[in-house]
C-alpha cells in the first residue's frame, strides 16, 4: 500500500514527513558550507530540523509559520480535512513542540505567513487532488496573538520574530516612526 492514500488527508504528513524535511535542510546546509554562503531555511516543521539547525547558526537562519506552530497532525486533518493540507505538511505534536523550543532557544529567527490561499472549490476536492496551501496574511497576527495570550511567547518576542528580527537578519535600514504613525487618532 502506498503512503499517500486517496481520499485521506491524514496520509499527507506520512509521505511528506519529518525525515524528508530534515534531509532537505541538511542538503541546503551542505550547499551553504560548500559555497560559503548563508541560507535562510523557510517553513521549518520538525524538531529534528531545529536540533540540526542549532548547530549551524553560522550559515543558517530559520523561519517557522504560525500554522505549523498552531496545528498538529493527525488532529488537524481529522477536524479540517483538506483545508489543513499544506506543504510542508502539518507536523505531529512532538515536532510542533520542538518548533516552540526552537523559538524559545533563539534557533528560529523569523516567522513567515506562507500565504497560499485557494478557493473553497480547490480546497474541497478529495485528497490528494485538493490544493495544498492556507491563508496566512489575514490569520498571521491573530494566530500569534492567541499564542501570546496563552503564554507561549511574549509580545516582545512576537515583535522580534515578525518585524525586528527580519530587519536585523536581512540588514534592512532602521525606520523611524512617521509623524502620522505617532499622532493620536
Amino acid at each position: 500500500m502506498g503512503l499517500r492514500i486517496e481520499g485521506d488527508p491524514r496520509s499527507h504528513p506520512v509521505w511528506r514527513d519529518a525525515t524528508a524535511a530534515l534531509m532537505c535542510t541538511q542538503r541546503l546546509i551542505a550547499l551553504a558550507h560548500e559555497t560559503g554562503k548563508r541560507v535562510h531555511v523557510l517553513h521549518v516543521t520538525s524538531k529534528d530540523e531545529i536540533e540540526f539547525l542549532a548547530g549551524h547558526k553560522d550559515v543558517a537562519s530559520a523561519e517557522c509559520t504560525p500554522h505549523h506552530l498552531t496545528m498538529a497532525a493527525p488532529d488537524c486533518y481529522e477536524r479540517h480535512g483538506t483545508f489543513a493540507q499544506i506543504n510542508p505538511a502539518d507536523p505531529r505534536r512532538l515536532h510542533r513542540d520542538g518548533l516552540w523550543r526552537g523559538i524559545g532557544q533563539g534557533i528560529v529567527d523569523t516567522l513567515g505567513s506562507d500565504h497560499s490561499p485557494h478557493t473553497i472549490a480547490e480546497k474541497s476536492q478529495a485528497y490528494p487532488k485538493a490544493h495544498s496551501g492556507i491563508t496566512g496574511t489575514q490569520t498571521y497576527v491573530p494566530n500569534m496573538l492567541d499564542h501570546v495570550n496563552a503564554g507561549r511567547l511574549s509580545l516582545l518576542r512576537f515583535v522580534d520574530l515578525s518585524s525586528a528580527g527580519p530587519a536585523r537578519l536581512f540588514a534592512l535600514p532602521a525606520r523611524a516612526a512617521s509623524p502620522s504613525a505617532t499622532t493620536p487618532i
Side-chain angles (χ1 to χ4, degrees):
M1 174 147 116
L3 296 176
R4 186 168 69 177
I5 301 169
E6 296 284 327
D8 187 359
R10 292 174 302 173
S11 68
H12 194 59
V14 174
W15 71 281
R16 287 183 170 269
D17 67 356
T19 301
L22 177 60
M23 289 171 59
C24 291
T25 298
Q26 288 171 329
R27 182 161 188 228
L28 181 62
I29 298 306
L31 289 169
H33 283 295
E34 198 175 297
T35 62
K37 301 293 182 185
R38 288 193 55 79
V39 294
H40 185 60
V41 184
L42 300 175
H43 314 344
V44 175
T45 56
S46 75
K47 71 176 186 60
D48 305 319
E49 287 174 280
I50 292 292
E51 292 165 2
F52 178 75
L53 288 166
H56 296 281
K57 294 299 287 177
D58 59 323
V59 296
S61 55
E63 172 244 69
C64 287
T65 67
H67 42 276
H68 287 117
L69 292 166
T70 304
M71 297 191 294
D75 304 347
C76 64
Y77 296 105
E78 291 166 2
R79 184 171 180 195
H80 303 292
T82 53
F83 284 84
Q85 181 181 323
I86 57 177
N87 295 329
D90 288 304
R92 302 271 180 206
R93 191 170 311 284
L94 81 130
H95 291 293
R96 186 188 63 193
D97 294 345
L99 299 179
W100 280 108
R101 280 191 300 282
I103 285 177
Q105 296 169 354
I107 299 162
V108 175
D109 301 284
T110 65
L111 295 173
S113 72
D114 188 27
H115 186 68
S116 181
H118 296 284
T119 66
I120 291 173
E122 291 170 332
K123 293 298 284 183
S124 295
Q125 295 180 55
Y127 182 79
K129 292 180 182 172
H131 291 235
S132 291
I134 197 166
T135 58
T137 302
Q138 62 269 57
T139 59
Y140 178 96
V141 172
N143 258 348
M144 293 313 296
L145 288 178
D146 280 347
H147 291 302
V148 169
N149 188 50
R152 290 184 194 97
L153 79 160
S154 70
L155 184 58
L156 287 176
R157 181 69 171 125
F158 171 48
V159 169
D160 186 68
L161 287 164
S162 60
S163 183
R168 186 174 52 252
L169 186 66
F170 297 107
L172 300 175
R175 288 186 51 184
S178 66
S180 62
T182 59
T183 306
I185 296 174

